[in-house]
Amino acid sequence: MIDRRTFTRAVGLGAGTTALSLAALPQTAGAAPAAGTAPAAGSAEASAAAPVAPRTGFARLAQVRAGVLDVGYAEDGPADGPAVICLHGWPYDIHSYVDVAPLLAAQGYRVIVPYLRGHGSTRFLSDRTTRNAQQSAVALDVLALMDALGIRRAVLAGFDWGSRTADIIAALWPERVKALVSVSGYLITDVRMQKEPLAPAAEHTWWYQFYFATERGRMAMENRDKRRELCRLVWQQVSPTWAFDDAVFDRTAAAFDNPDYAAIVIHNYRWRLGLAEGEHRYDQLERRLAARPKIAVPTVTLDPGRDPFTAPGGGTAYRDFFTGPYLHRTLPDVGHNVPQEAPEDFVRAVLDADRL
């Protein structure tokens, strides 16, 4: 670990984020300086309030063969530090963690941020491998990555596809998970339940899922310009308060040019609706997941208040799925891409989960 003064000097935040209150970060969430107290000149608090240069990349990028993939990933922090694996969702990439990674690294963590299958520099090792994006296959990718990197246990933290993947590993392989941060709570999919219609307003929010069930949607995802337009529209709809710019979007959109991107995205959403088959070798895992297994590892769940997918009730809809040490927080003015919109809150959740 490093001290707070060094931590403050080491970190800058990315475009579109608010200035980080670095001096407060290691404290339990909710702690705040006394009202009316001004930071002393030259203090860590004063330095944190000053403008900082945007972060556009990571300390290190690497590739490793793991399972059926050659996985591209970003890494930061000491090689012998406790591991945190940060998992992105759709339509995002590793840059969702461009601000989170150095903050965690400055706290002594070894931070690993992989491109999921079909994204960025991650490639299938064989042309004969099925371009399958069912949930258990993606979870096994992360376990294979941990094995390839010599990581026995890690804190897993994610949102969207990343939350689902982290939830699955925590539920089925809890010995590999030291703690969990899951945005939007319990996201393990039961395909049979997905056949039931939602309220019309909720179905409207999922418009792209139904678009991807059509050949028009598949063709749009295979067209570079159309998929970028579609993904940017999703960013705007699910993160209505996030003032990202062209450069921020373009850095992530480069990951959509992976040759398997369209196939992976289309299969994921069609599989969820029961419109595409999975592979039989994953059937046993999917049966276990359909039983909605409980998660007993220490967990922090985060609900972004401006995300249209956030379930009502302040986490009550999924509370019973978490049986171990547990904290829940709502982030009122944050949208779907929590780690990039609110990196300080995400980092604090990781630190608190690791202390539970």
Side-chain angles (χ1 to χ4, degrees):
M1 301 294 177
I2 64 175
D3 63 36
R4 187 175 297 169
R5 187 181 302 276
T6 307
F7 179 43
T8 303
R9 290 199 302 265
V11 179
L13 283 184
T17 63
T18 57
L20 186 59
S21 198
L22 296 178
L25 184 59
Q27 301 173 7
T28 300
T37 303
S43 68
E45 292 87 344
S47 298
V52 293
R55 292 197 64 85
T56 60
F58 294 88
R60 297 183 295 280
L61 297 174
Q63 298 283 140
V64 65
R65 289 192 170 203
V68 300
L69 301 173
D70 181 23
V71 179
Y73 65 97
E75 182 168 0
D76 205 342
D80 60 351
V84 178
I85 299 176
C86 298
L87 302 170
H88 68 79
W90 182 87
Y92 306 95
D93 83 327
I94 63 173
H95 288 88
S96 290
Y97 296 98
V98 72
D99 297 320
V100 165
L103 295 177
L104 289 172
Q107 290 294 294
Y109 288 98
R110 180 189 184 189
V111 186
I112 305 294
V113 189
Y115 285 109
L116 298 184
R117 56 171 56 193
H119 293 73
S121 62
T122 292
R123 297 290 189 273
F124 286 89
L125 295 174
S126 172
D127 291 338
R128 296 188 298 273
T129 303
T130 302
R131 273 34 179 182
N132 175 1
Q134 71 185 102
Q135 61 184 352
S136 55
V138 179
L140 288 173
D141 290 345
V142 176
L143 288 174
L145 175 64
M146 292 174 68
D147 291 342
L149 296 178
I151 298 172
R152 187 179 66 86
R153 294 177 76 217
V155 177
L156 299 185
F159 74 105
D160 196 89
W161 290 22
S163 287
R164 179 173 297 106
T165 303
D167 288 351
I168 290 168
I169 298 172
L172 299 188
W173 297 278
E175 70 279 3
R176 305 300 300 269
V177 182
K178 186 179 181 187
L180 171 69
V181 174
S182 184
V183 174
S184 304
Y186 190 90
L187 295 184
I188 295 175
T189 298
D190 179 353
V191 174
R192 290 171 299 178
M193 290 179 61
Q194 291 281 95
K195 296 181 184 296
E196 294 295 322
L198 302 174
E203 299 281 29
H204 178 267
T205 302
W206 283 104
W207 64 269
Y208 56 83
Q209 179 171 246
F210 306 114
Y211 185 44
F212 293 160
T214 71
E215 284 304 287
R216 287 165 65 96
R218 180 188 61 77
M219 292 170 62
M221 290 305 290
E222 291 177 347
N223 180 291
R224 185 175 186 270
D225 292 337
K226 286 185 171 60
R227 70 171 170 255
R228 287 187 175 222
E229 291 176 20
L230 185 152
C231 292
R232 185 166 186 141
L233 176 61
V234 171
W235 278 31
Q236 292 167 339
Q237 291 180 336
V238 302
S239 296
T241 60
W242 184 27
F244 64 89
D245 60 20
D246 290 345
V248 168
F249 178 77
D250 289 343
R251 277 191 289 275
T252 286
F256 308 160
D257 293 335
N258 183 299
D260 297 310
Y261 184 78
I264 289 297
V265 172
I266 295 298
H267 183 266
N268 179 280
Y269 287 100
R270 290 184 179 183
W271 176 84
R272 289 195 213 178
L273 293 177
L275 302 176
E277 293 292 328
E279 292 181 80
H280 289 309
R281 58 177 166 161
Y282 303 120
D283 285 352
Q284 183 178 0
L285 291 176
E286 293 298 346
R287 283 193 291 270
R288 293 175 65 189
L289 294 172
R292 313 283 274 175
K294 302 292 179 68
I295 294 174
V297 305
T299 299
V300 174
T301 57
L302 300 174
D303 273 356
R306 298 303 301 272
D307 181 359
F309 297 115
T310 296
T316 57
Y318 52 75
R319 174 64 184 92
D320 291 344
F321 289 107
F322 298 95
T323 61
Y326 181 80
L327 292 173
H328 172 77
R329 295 182 188 124
T330 296
L331 308 177
D333 297 317
V334 178
H336 191 72
N337 185 5
V338 171
Q340 200 162 3
E341 296 180 58
E344 181 185 10
D345 291 305
F346 195 87
V347 169
R348 183 178 287 116
V350 172
L351 298 180
D352 288 345
D354 198 18
R355 295 190 188 109
L356 285 176

